[in-house]
Amino acid sequence: IAMVVGSVISGRRGVGVDRVATFASGLVAVGGGFAVAGLVSDLRVMAAAVFVALLAVPIVNAAVATLFHEFVPADMHGRVFGIRSVMARALEPVASVVAGLVIADLAEPAMGPNGPLGRSIGRVIGHGPGRGAAVVLAMTGGVLVLLGLALRRSRLGSRLRARRPGGEPVAA
């Protein structure tokens, strides 16, 4: 439901003039939602946090697609979008396997009652079954938040804002 709502919002409002800011803010929303979901044990708060994260996914996707369409020359769209799609689809099963291994072999044992994280972070977010996955979710969300904040302040973000679609520099 959240992604449908996000799609409707994105379709009605568009991605805005500053596509980089939309993308970066979306990353912060997705990451923040996932981080909160991993840090809490109250199901209502967790559901609300995941709703916020998933609400922002279509907005992030629209901003990225718009940036690619604007900055990739039209005669290269097919090749660039094809490669982009293949890479994204190929990484989905790899990410699932890696996440599963990290959770099962590292995070879950570490978040056990006698595990190293169970005695530290576990005091705050709880320890035991499922809390290893929660820590991985929270850490992944935190990384997305940091990436979004860094993009807003980065030279790359500034360069993207300073160029017109099609690669033409903005006149001073």
Side-chain angles (χ1 to χ4, degrees):
I1 294 174
M3 290 180 75
V4 172
V5 173
S7 295
V8 169
I9 291 169
S10 180
R12 303 276 282 163
R13 297 197 58 202
V15 294
V17 175
D18 189 346
R19 282 91 157 97
V20 175
T22 301
F23 175 55
S25 298
L27 282 179
V28 170
V30 171
F34 286 147
V36 169
L39 295 173
V40 300
S41 56
D42 183 313
L43 187 57
R44 292 175 301 231
V45 175
M46 192 182 301
V50 170
F51 186 90
V52 168
L54 295 179
L55 178 85
V57 168
I59 297 165
V60 169
N61 289 342
V64 169
T66 301
L67 284 165
F68 269 91
H69 277 95
E70 290 178 344
F71 287 96
V72 172
D75 63 331
M76 294 186 68
H77 277 188
R79 286 173 277 189
V80 170
F81 295 128
I83 290 170
R84 186 174 157 239
S85 179
V86 165
M87 289 175 58
R89 298 302 173 262
L91 288 175
E92 287 173 2
V94 172
S96 295
V97 169
V98 170
L101 292 172
V102 166
I103 290 168
D105 295 341
L106 297 174
E108 283 295 328
M111 286 300 293
N114 297 319
L117 296 179
R119 292 187 304 261
S120 57
I121 297 171
R123 290 183 180 167
V124 178
I125 67 168
H127 53 77
R131 297 320 292 165
V135 165
V136 170
L137 183 63
M139 289 174 50
T140 303
V143 168
L144 288 175
V145 168
L146 292 174
L147 286 172
L149 294 173
L151 179 60
R152 289 187 74 93
R153 307 188 82 154
S154 71
R155 286 187 296 183
L156 172 62
S158 298
R159 285 197 309 251
L160 286 172
R161 286 185 192 94
R163 297 188 73 78
R164 291 182 197 260
E168 297 297 318
V170 174

